[in-house]
Amino acid sequence: MMLLPLEKAGVLLAVFLIQTFSVQAQANHKSSPNIVIILADDLGYGDVSSYNENAAFTTPHIDQLAEQGVRFTDAHTSSSVCTPTRYGLLTGRYNWRSELKQGVLSGYSRSLLTKNRLTLADLLRKEDYRTAFIGKWHLGWNWQLEKQNKNIDKLDSRPEVDFSQPISMGPGDHGFIYSYGFSGSLDMPPYVYVENSRPTTIPKDTTVNYDEKGFWRKGLTGSDFSHTDVLPHLTEKSMQYIRKQADNQPFLLYFALPAPHTPILPTTEFIGTSNANLYGDFVLQVDGVVGQITQALEEEGILEETLIIFASDNGASPRADFEELARAGHDPSYIYRGHKADIYEGGHRIPFIAHWPEMIEEGFITDETVSTVDIMATVADIAGTSLPDDAGEDSYSFLPVLLHKNYSKPLREATVFHSISGRFALRKGPWKLILWPGSGGWSFPRTKEDLQGRPDFQLYNLEEDPGEEHNLVDQYPGKVKELKALMEKYVKEGRSTPGDPRPNDGDQQWPQLEWMDK
């Protein structure tokens, strides 16, 4: 055998090592994309033009994500209102397993997330991700109260807070290295930014707006807090974070928009652009925000290796003024019944798009049923890790869908939905069983008079009846029994994924479980 000169051998060894590390780096890079979650607030399924051929306006930036990525047509939130959906997204656990059995939190509520509950940010931080939250938190955090207040969860509550002190049990205690945002919805006081657990100002002024569309409740407002400027301000903060982290990949950015939720306050350049109403204009501003975030990623040269997930936290609110929009030929719920707060499809079926150029070569549409609780398991799969048995109890990975892989059966056995009043529905295949005689929310039928004489449950075949117009509960008693039994199993076992049974939080005999005895 002929021996190579030492110098030549050294060069070849160096080349070999460089190539080896390069291949390894590429492999690690592909398995660790940046992750940007953009969660709109009260955006309806029909408000995105790629979902609604009859939309009164076009959402070009969201549509572009869909054209180049994966558009889910059967995606859902775990709840039809804000706080519960955010809980499910960050924990991979159905919201009704928490202590909040109905309704939403206020801007002064204490943390719904418990100390030992693993979150999406906790998970990725362990995988060396930089993690950031920017926007609307609405999961409660612990203000430093000057005295205890029993009414802290009421939306009109105004407890005495020491704003000179840091909060606790906020984003920083649940895996987010950087955080900037406010506590509740944009119509819930206090209107104070909190950055890395510290209020940015000590509020002295009080503001209120009684206009129906621009409505916000009376409350303390920081000197640096302007309702109209909140969305542009948070967007700029998010773009700054992207620019700062471009060289420190990978990172997670959870950008929780406060729009198009009330107060509906589009900035000047968007007023009148939808040819519908102020809500339509605000939707187009949300679309513009998506364009700005996408552009920031592109300018930093990291769009290709970034997974963007765009979704809404529930269906559109009736404050969008459905009647006014109808005159423009627009329905925020598209062909689906109901809206925000309801157990019907309009309450929880949402636009849901995944954009990841490095792994999704061509855009496509899927009718695979997914839920916002599935983001947790999907991200774990992407990061190459697994969820512990006591985390993500209701989360199924939809990574096979993103990678366009073949799979023999639906990813989810069934999917559970929840309304503002705590009413349940379960979906399996085309069948949806609603364990309540009405909407469980704000649309008809909702009052005691409305519900009188109606069957205890509702059963719909969504393939044949997507508008949930024909209750088949009497025609298919066997299907009702099957789905009810499965729902009972999910409640009693504390999970819907395989694993050991887990306890639910709070009183197990909460009122909304009376359907078990019927």
Side-chain angles (χ1 to χ4, degrees), residues 130-161:
R130 306 289 293 176
T131 56
F133 155 76
I134 295 174
K136 168 183 168 176
W137 184 242
H138 210 184
L139 283 165
W141 58 43
N142 300 349
W143 296 99
Q144 293 298 317
L145 300 181
E146 295 185 345
K147 61 181 180 180
Q148 294 302 312
N149 188 310
K150 294 181 179 180
N151 298 318
I152 201 168
D153 292 323
K154 293 185 177 180
L155 298 185
D156 58 355
S157 174
R158 292 198 291 273
E160 296 179 27
V161 173

Coordinates of all heavy atoms in Angstrom, one line a residue, residues 130-161:
R130 N -34.3 29.3 21.6 CA -34.7 30.6 22.2 C -36.2 30.8 22.1 O -36.8 30.4 21.1 CB -34.0 31.8 21.5 CG -32.5 31.6 21.3 CD -31.7 31.8 22.6 NE -31.8 33.2 23.1 CZ -31.3 33.6 24.3 NH1 -30.8 32.7 25.1 NH2 -31.5 34.8 24.6
T131 N -36.8 31.2 23.2 CA -38.3 31.2 23.2 C -38.8 32.6 23.5 O -38.3 33.3 24.4 CB -38.8 30.2 24.2 OG1 -38.3 30.5 25.5 CG2 -38.5 28.8 23.8
A132 N -39.8 33.1 22.8 CA -40.4 34.4 23.1 C -41.9 34.4 22.9 O -42.5 33.7 22.0 CB -39.8 35.4 22.1
F133 N -42.6 35.1 23.8 CA -44.0 35.4 23.7 C -44.2 36.9 23.5 O -43.6 37.7 24.2 CB -44.8 35.0 24.9 CG -46.0 35.8 25.1 CD1 -47.2 35.5 24.3 CD2 -46.1 36.8 26.0 CE1 -48.3 36.2 24.4 CE2 -47.3 37.5 26.2 CZ -48.4 37.2 25.4
I134 N -45.0 37.3 22.5 CA -45.3 38.7 22.3 C -46.8 38.8 22.0 O -47.3 38.1 21.1 CB -44.5 39.3 21.1 CG1 -43.0 39.3 21.5 CG2 -45.0 40.7 20.8 CD1 -42.1 39.8 20.4
G135 N -47.5 39.7 22.7 CA -48.9 39.9 22.4 C -49.9 39.7 23.6 O -49.6 40.1 24.7
K136 N -51.0 39.1 23.3 CA -52.1 38.9 24.2 C -51.9 37.6 24.9 O -52.0 36.5 24.3 CB -53.4 38.9 23.5 CG -54.6 38.5 24.3 CD -55.9 38.4 23.4 CE -57.0 37.7 24.2 NZ -58.3 37.8 23.4
W137 N -51.7 37.6 26.2 CA -51.5 36.4 27.0 C -52.8 35.7 27.4 O -53.1 34.6 26.9 CB -50.7 36.8 28.3 CG -50.3 35.6 29.2 CD1 -50.7 35.4 30.4 CD2 -49.4 34.5 28.8 NE1 -50.1 34.2 30.9 CE2 -49.3 33.7 30.0 CE3 -48.7 34.2 27.7 CZ2 -48.6 32.5 30.0 CZ3 -47.9 33.0 27.7 CH2 -47.9 32.2 28.8
H138 N -53.6 36.4 28.1 CA -55.0 35.9 28.5 C -55.1 34.5 29.1 O -56.0 33.8 28.9 CB -56.0 36.0 27.3 CG -57.4 36.3 27.8 ND1 -58.4 36.4 26.9 CD2 -57.9 36.5 29.0 CE1 -59.5 36.6 27.6 NE2 -59.2 36.7 28.8
L139 N -54.0 34.2 29.9 CA -54.0 32.9 30.6 C -53.9 33.2 32.1 O -53.6 32.3 32.9 CB -52.9 32.0 30.1 CG -53.1 31.3 28.8 CD1 -51.8 30.7 28.2 CD2 -54.1 30.2 29.0
G140 N -54.0 34.5 32.5 CA -53.8 34.9 33.8 C -52.3 34.9 34.2 O -51.5 34.1 33.7
W141 N -52.0 35.9 35.0 CA -50.7 35.9 35.7 C -50.9 36.6 37.0 O -52.0 37.2 37.3 CB -49.6 36.5 34.9 CG -49.8 38.0 34.4 CD1 -50.2 39.0 35.1 CD2 -49.4 38.5 33.1 NE1 -50.2 40.2 34.4 CE2 -49.7 39.8 33.1 CE3 -48.9 37.9 32.0 CZ2 -49.5 40.7 32.0 CZ3 -48.6 38.7 30.9 CH2 -48.9 40.1 30.9
N142 N -50.0 36.5 37.9 CA -50.2 37.0 39.3 C -49.7 38.4 39.5 O -48.5 38.6 39.7 CB -49.6 36.0 40.3 CG -50.2 34.6 40.2 OD1 -51.2 34.4 39.5 ND2 -49.6 33.6 40.9
W143 N -50.6 39.4 39.4 CA -50.2 40.7 39.8 C -49.9 40.8 41.3 O -50.4 40.0 42.1 CB -51.3 41.7 39.5 CG -51.7 41.8 38.1 CD1 -52.8 41.2 37.4 CD2 -51.1 42.6 37.0 NE1 -52.9 41.6 36.1 CE2 -51.9 42.5 35.8 CE3 -50.0 43.5 37.0 CZ2 -51.5 43.1 34.6 CZ3 -49.7 44.1 35.8 CH2 -50.4 43.9 34.7
Q144 N -49.1 41.8 41.7 CA -48.8 42.0 43.1 C -50.0 42.8 43.6 O -50.0 44.1 43.4 CB -47.5 42.7 43.3 CG -46.3 41.8 42.9 CD -46.2 40.6 43.8 OE1 -46.4 40.6 45.0 NE2 -45.9 39.4 43.1
L145 N -50.9 42.2 44.3 CA -52.1 42.9 44.8 C -51.8 43.6 46.1 O -51.1 43.0 47.0 CB -53.3 41.9 45.0 CG -53.8 41.2 43.8 CD1 -54.9 40.3 44.1 CD2 -54.2 42.1 42.7
E146 N -52.3 44.8 46.3 CA -52.1 45.5 47.5 C -53.0 45.0 48.6 O -52.7 45.1 49.8 CB -52.3 47.0 47.3 CG -51.2 47.6 46.4 CD -51.3 49.1 46.3 OE1 -52.3 49.7 46.7 OE2 -50.3 49.7 45.8
K147 N -54.1 44.4 48.2 CA -55.0 43.6 49.1 C -55.8 42.6 48.3 O -56.0 42.8 47.1 CB -55.9 44.6 49.9 CG -56.9 45.4 49.1 CD -57.7 46.3 50.0 CE -58.7 47.2 49.2 NZ -59.5 48.0 50.1
Q148 N -56.2 41.6 49.0 CA -56.9 40.5 48.3 C -58.3 41.0 47.8 O -58.9 41.8 48.3 CB -57.1 39.3 49.2 CG -55.8 38.6 49.7 CD -55.0 38.1 48.5 OE1 -55.6 37.5 47.6 NE2 -53.7 38.5 48.4
N149 N -58.7 40.4 46.7 CA -59.9 40.7 46.0 C -60.6 39.5 45.5 O -60.1 38.8 44.6 CB -59.7 41.7 44.8 CG -60.9 42.3 44.2 OD1 -61.9 41.6 43.9 ND2 -60.9 43.6 44.1
K150 N -61.8 39.2 46.0 CA -62.5 38.0 45.7 C -63.1 38.0 44.3 O -63.5 37.0 43.7 CB -63.6 37.7 46.7 CG -63.1 37.3 48.1 CD -64.2 37.0 49.1 CE -63.7 36.7 50.4 NZ -64.8 36.4 51.4
N151 N -63.3 39.2 43.8 CA -63.9 39.4 42.5 C -62.9 39.5 41.3 O -63.2 40.1 40.3 CB -64.8 40.6 42.5 CG -65.9 40.5 43.5 OD1 -66.5 39.4 43.6 ND2 -66.2 41.6 44.3
I152 N -61.7 39.0 41.5 CA -60.6 39.3 40.6 C -60.9 38.7 39.2 O -60.4 39.2 38.2 CB -59.3 38.7 41.2 CG1 -58.1 39.3 40.5 CG2 -59.3 37.2 41.1 CD1 -56.8 39.0 41.2
D153 N -61.7 37.7 39.1 CA -62.0 37.1 37.8 C -63.2 37.7 37.0 O -63.4 37.4 35.9 CB -62.3 35.6 37.9 CG -61.1 34.8 38.4 OD1 -60.0 35.1 37.9 OD2 -61.3 33.9 39.2
K154 N -63.8 38.7 37.6 CA -64.9 39.4 37.0 C -64.4 40.4 36.0 O -63.4 41.1 36.3 CB -65.9 40.0 38.0 CG -66.6 39.0 38.8 CD -67.6 39.7 39.7 CE -68.4 38.6 40.5 NZ -69.4 39.3 41.4
L155 N -65.0 40.5 34.8 CA -64.4 41.4 33.8 C -64.5 42.9 34.1 O -63.7 43.7 33.6 CB -65.2 41.2 32.5 CG -65.1 39.7 31.9 CD1 -65.7 39.7 30.5 CD2 -63.6 39.3 31.8
D156 N -65.4 43.3 35.1 CA -65.4 44.7 35.5 C -64.7 44.9 36.8 O -64.8 46.0 37.4 CB -66.9 45.1 35.7 CG -67.7 44.3 36.6 OD1 -67.1 43.3 37.1 OD2 -68.8 44.6 36.9
S157 N -63.9 43.9 37.3 CA -63.2 44.0 38.5 C -62.0 45.0 38.3 O -61.3 45.0 37.3 CB -62.6 42.6 38.9 OG -61.8 42.7 40.1
R158 N -61.7 45.8 39.4 CA -60.6 46.7 39.3 C -59.9 46.7 40.7 O -59.9 47.6 41.5 CB -61.0 48.1 39.0 CG -61.6 48.3 37.6 CD -61.6 49.7 37.2 NE -62.6 50.5 37.9 CZ -63.9 50.6 37.5 NH1 -64.3 50.0 36.4 NH2 -64.8 51.3 38.1
P159 N -59.1 45.6 40.9 CA -58.4 45.5 42.2 C -57.2 46.4 42.3 O -56.8 47.0 41.3 CB -57.9 44.0 42.2 CG -57.8 43.7 40.7 CD -58.9 44.4 40.1
E160 N -56.8 46.6 43.5 CA -55.6 47.5 43.7 C -54.3 46.7 43.5 O -54.1 45.7 44.2 CB -55.6 48.1 45.1 CG -56.8 49.0 45.4 CD -56.9 49.5 46.8 OE1 -55.8 49.6 47.4 OE2 -58.0 49.8 47.3
V161 N -53.5 47.2 42.6 CA -52.3 46.5 42.2 C -51.1 47.4 42.4 O -51.1 48.6 42.1 CB -52.4 46.0 40.7 CG1 -51.0 45.5 40.2 CG2 -53.5 45.0 40.4

